[in-house]
Amino acid sequence: MKCDACYIKVALPIAVDSLFTYKLAACKDESLIGRRVLVSFNSKNLTGVIIDFDNAPAADYIIKEVLDLIDAEPIFSQQMLKFAKWVSEYYMCSLGETLKAALPQAMNPKSIIRVEIARQLSDAEIDEVFARAPKQKEIYMFLKDRGSAISSDYIQKSLKHKSIISSLASLESRGLISSKQLSETHAKPKTAKAIRLSEEFFTNEENIAKFLNKHEKKSPKKAKFLIQLYEYFENDIYEIWLSDAKKLFSSQIIKWFKESEIIEIFDKEIDRYSEIENGNSLAKKNELELPLTAEQKSAVEVINTSIDADNFKPYLLFGVTGSGKTLVYLHTIEHTLRHGKSALLLVPEISLTPQLIDRFAKVFGGEIAVFHSKMSEGERFDAFRSTQSGKAKIVIGARSALFAPLKNLGLIIVDEEHEPSYKQESPNPRYNGRDAAVMRGYYENAIVVLGSATPSFETYYNAMNNRYQMLEISQRADGAQMPVIKVVDTIAAAKSGQMRGSFSKSLFDAIVDRLAKKEGVILFQNRRGFSSYLECPDCGEIPTCKNCSVTLVYHRTTNELRCHYCGYASKAHYGCHRCGFPNMREVG
């Protein structure tokens, strides 16, 4: 049915907090919301996302038309669009920048200019036309030698020029070259050749018998290959990698079977992180088979009850180190999957993901997708598509995994929620992964679990004020005893003569005792580098910035106390303002 074009509001990946109206040659349909479009903006082609529809503009407005509708179906759900809008508003960046960050780099089309010769010049004409334009002549000759359209970036890189934009514009204005702006993407599925078995042939036992009778003596290798294929078929394996088949049989035999239409050779997509799908886990056992402690069981039951209720609720899983929080994660994710939902597990550091992947792969196998910054563009692209298609129902990753396109998200877990690495510093959006995870749970109506042995002040405060429900695990899973912690006041110890250099007597005696028992000792220092400050040895007073309330750094050469945050400075004073002690000491 013929329909008029509709007007759409598009979010573009630029630092402007506005939506832009374009004309799309398609019927007004809600399925357009969340799909990407290629549009012209300020002489550039940009990829934007359809956010909403717009009314027809006034007659004196000229509205640009959409160059291309990239996606066949929405790439962002309504929940994800609402979440992205919150991120852009809360962290003060544009919606387009936020949506760009939610996609793998390989899925962001790049605008390129392809250039080719428009008019052929003779050698004499070339010398005359470019007599005073050697740079343009070099570009023209480079294009002439190539004989086909090439990108402007390739020309600039090959000729080692800083910029050729003005030269290209001049050549095009004189009709010597033509250029075309295109949009290209590096996102391509990885494929390999595979063999597909003919169902019609292998379901007919008479065909199998006739083939074996005919070839068993004349061509035993063909008969052997058929028997191998039939065994695959009997075990419900209908597709085999061609590379595996070639390890056992010659290319001529495989080609003969293809020509006989017993098999078909086709391109099969493979995941770049196939080690997860193949279940190559080093974990020794399925941890779901391990018994739960009473506290673990209680936490699992509470979280699972909320998952069943299908309502947003945040939890703080406050478990001491070694209490088995990961086992709680495994059980709650397993419960989430059984209810037809998906789960997201955020971890603070990339170094933690291989350990978790190994343990989770033993339990969930190919249902896992991984997101982190060290993955290649192709790997991130595969992980995104696997998640979007619903094949992967569990996503494990660092903070960028927060934007994974999981369908029917039921559970979000933020492990070690106190870690500062959840904060994105650059580029936009500069979000906190922990806080944003809570808000995504809100928009997805999912359960959010923040796990830590040392919760952040913000999370602990929210738990104390009943914004989050606290689930506490106070005992270690293996029954090991918690260490004894002793806090020593070194200022009081110094006054009473209980210091040995920089060590308190109690610490010094403990070290001597452990060494006598031939045991090891680890000493942690709370700061790195050299950054002196002044401290009163009597009362412990340390001069701080009047603006920032941070320690002032002592600069010996200028005899100043300076704040490295706001720049506030004052002359160093060696008398303590608090207790009057005359000699402040230098520390650092």
Side-chain angles (χ1 to χ4, degrees):
M1 183 179 76
K2 186 178 179 181
C3 64
D4 296 329
C6 62
Y7 295 91
I8 56 175
K9 293 181 179 180
V10 178
L12 296 176
I14 57 176
V16 178
D17 189 22
S18 297
L19 299 179
F20 299 89
T21 300
Y22 286 87
K23 185 177 180 180
L24 178 64
C27 295
K28 187 175 180 179
D29 188 339
E30 290 298 323
S31 67
L32 291 172
I33 305 297
R35 292 161 72 175
R36 293 176 301 160
V37 287
L38 185 67
V39 297
S40 175
F41 184 86
N42 274 0
S43 75
K44 288 184 178 181
N45 291 348
L46 297 178
T47 302
V49 178
I50 302 174
I51 303 300
D52 202 353
F53 295 103
D54 202 356
N55 297 321
D60 54 342
Y61 277 90
I62 298 176
I63 304 297
K64 291 183 178 180
E65 292 193 8
V66 169
L67 301 177
D68 188 22
L69 182 61
I70 297 174
D71 304 308
E73 58 184 28
I75 202 166
F76 293 107
S77 65
Q78 288 290 343
Q79 293 93 331
M80 182 59 81
L81 289 176
K82 290 177 183 177
F83 170 61
K85 188 173 186 296
W86 175 87
V87 170
S88 68
E89 291 174 351
Y90 191 80
Y91 295 105
M92 294 186 289
C93 68
S94 73
L95 179 57
E97 288 175 307
T98 303
L99 293 172
K100 180 182 179 182
L103 292 175
Q105 188 64 34
M107 290 186 68
N108 289 312
K110 181 183 177 183
S111 181
I112 63 169
I113 300 173
R114 297 190 74 83
V115 187
E116 62 183 339
I117 294 288
R119 182 158 64 94
Q120 292 286 349
L121 299 176
S122 65
D123 292 341
E125 288 176 316
I126 290 173
D127 292 336
E128 181 182 348
V129 170
F130 299 115
R132 296 183 180 180
K135 187 175 179 180
Q136 292 182 31
K137 179 180 180 181
E138 188 179 11
I139 295 171
Y140 185 88
M141 294 302 296
F142 186 81
L143 286 168
K144 187 177 181 182
D145 292 340
R146 296 287 165 174
S148 59
I150 52 178
S151 72
S152 59
D153 288 344
Y154 181 74
I155 299 171
Q156 186 168 302
K157 185 177 179 181
S158 299
L159 298 180
K160 298 180 179 179
H161 291 307
K162 288 185 178 179
S163 177
I164 60 171
I165 295 175
S166 58
S167 298
L168 291 176
S170 179
L171 287 168
E172 189 166 19
S173 66
R174 296 161 73 180
L176 299 176
I177 66 169
S178 63
S179 66
K180 188 175 183 180
Q181 195 166 33
L182 302 171
S183 180
E184 289 187 356
T185 177
H186 299 296
K188 292 181 180 179
K190 186 178 181 181
T191 61
K193 294 292 182 182
I195 292 172
R196 182 183 290 123
L197 308 184
S198 168
E199 187 175 353
E200 182 180 351
F201 180 88
F202 285 96
T203 50
N204 190 327
E205 293 186 2
E206 188 177 338
N207 286 341
I208 305 291
K210 284 182 179 179
F211 186 97
L212 292 175
N213 288 335
K214 182 178 180 181
H215 297 283
E216 195 166 13
K217 292 183 179 179
K218 293 181 179 180
S219 181
K221 290 184 178 180
K222 290 180 182 178
K224 186 178 179 181
F225 187 40
L226 183 75
I227 293 170
Q228 180 67 66
L229 295 176
Y230 186 69
E231 287 178 1
Y232 283 130
F233 192 84
E234 286 288 286
N235 290 298
D236 298 325
I237 301 173
Y238 309 122
E239 295 176 356
I240 312 149
W241 294 114
L242 181 60
S243 58
D244 292 339
K246 285 185 175 180
K247 292 176 184 177
L248 302 173
F249 300 96
S250 67
S251 298
Q252 289 81 2
I253 290 178
I254 294 171
K255 182 181 178 182
W256 186 90
F257 272 79
K258 177 178 178 278
E259 292 172 348
S260 301
E261 297 184 352
I262 297 174
I263 62 172
E264 173 193 353
I265 297 178
F266 69 104
D267 290 323
K268 183 178 180 180
E269 185 176 338
I270 56 175
D271 287 333
R272 292 172 174 90
Y273 53 95
S274 57
E275 68 273 6
I276 297 173
E277 185 172 348
N278 294 335
N280 295 332
S281 171
L282 298 176
K284 294 180 179 179
K285 62 176 70 175
N286 183 335
E287 293 187 44
L288 288 179
E289 299 171 0
L290 297 174
L292 294 168
T293 65
E295 289 179 317
Q296 287 174 332
K297 187 175 181 181
S298 175
V300 168
E301 288 175 352
V302 171
I303 296 170
N304 286 351
T305 300
S306 292
I307 292 170
D308 295 340
D310 202 23
N311 286 318
F312 163 71
K313 190 168 185 178
Y315 290 94
L316 167 59
L317 183 61
F318 187 4
V320 299
T321 303
S323 61
K325 293 187 291 294
T326 303
L327 191 56
V328 174
Y329 301 159
L330 286 164
H331 278 273
T332 53
I333 289 175
E334 191 267 341
H335 186 83
T336 302
L337 297 187
R338 278 198 283 111
H339 282 68
K341 300 177 183 178
S342 59
L344 170 63
L345 172 60
L346 297 180
V347 292
E349 296 288 349
I350 184 175
S351 59
L352 295 178
T353 54
Q355 304 168 29
L356 282 172
I357 292 167
D358 203 38
R359 296 168 70 180
F360 275 70
K362 188 69 177 180
V363 179
F364 301 109
E367 291 184 298
I368 301 172
V370 180
F371 288 80
H372 57 72
S373 59
K374 297 300 180 183
M375 296 170 68
S376 68
E377 286 187 10
E379 288 171 334
R380 289 182 68 85
F381 174 63
D382 283 355
F384 187 91
R385 292 178 70 247
S386 179
T387 306
Q388 189 181 39
S389 67
K391 178 183 176 182
K393 296 179 175 60
I394 303 169
V395 165
I396 301 174
R399 61 175 181 262
S400 61
L402 177 66
F403 297 101
L406 285 159
K407 295 183 177 180
N408 197 17
L409 184 57
L411 177 65
I412 300 175
I413 297 170
V414 184
D415 190 31
E416 307 294 345
E417 60 84 26
H418 61 277
E419 283 285 342
S421 58
Y422 280 121
K423 182 69 173 72
Q424 165 82 1
E425 297 295 343
S426 182
N428 277 337
R430 293 172 169 83
Y431 62 95
N432 186 305
R434 176 201 63 217
D435 299 340
V438 175
M439 290 308 299
R440 181 165 185 195
Y442 170 77
Y443 285 110
E444 297 275 2
N445 209 28
I447 305 304
V448 181
V449 178
L450 309 178
S452 177
T454 54
S456 62
F457 285 129
E458 302 94 324
T459 299
Y460 193 76
Y461 178 83
N462 284 329
M464 291 294 97
N465 286 274
N466 297 319
R467 292 180 180 176
Y468 303 164
Q469 182 176 339
M470 185 186 294
L471 304 172
E472 194 166 357
I473 306 178
S474 59
Q475 302 295 321
R476 288 182 166 174
D478 59 1
Q481 294 298 311
M482 295 297 293
V484 177
I485 299 174
K486 185 177 181 180
V487 179
V488 178
D489 185 346
T490 54
I491 293 176
K495 290 178 180 180
S496 61
Q498 298 294 306
M499 294 293 291
R500 297 286 186 90
S502 298
F503 299 136
S504 65
K505 186 177 183 301
S506 56
L507 174 58
F508 189 86
D509 291 344
I511 293 173
V512 171
D513 178 59
R514 295 302 167 188
L515 292 177
K517 295 178 179 178
K518 300 189 183 220
E519 295 178 352
V521 175
I522 299 177
L523 294 176
F524 289 101
Q525 189 174 354
N526 67 339
R527 52 196 297 280
R528 297 177 296 172
F530 181 88
S531 179
S532 299
Y533 59 92
L534 298 181
E535 179 183 45
C536 176
D538 191 50
C539 69
E541 172 72 4
I542 299 173
T544 58
C545 176
K546 65 178 184 179
N547 301 319
C548 309
S549 297
V550 297
T551 302
L552 291 172
V553 178
Y554 175 58
H555 290 257
R556 182 189 291 271
T557 54
T558 58
N559 195 35
E560 279 186 332
L561 294 173
R562 183 176 294 278
C563 175
H564 286 183
Y565 286 84
C566 70
Y568 167 78
S570 67
K571 285 295 179 182
H573 46 85
Y574 284 88
C576 178
H577 288 321
R578 182 178 179 185
C579 71
F581 191 84
N583 294 312
M584 300 280 280
R585 68 179 178 182
E586 298 175 16
V587 180

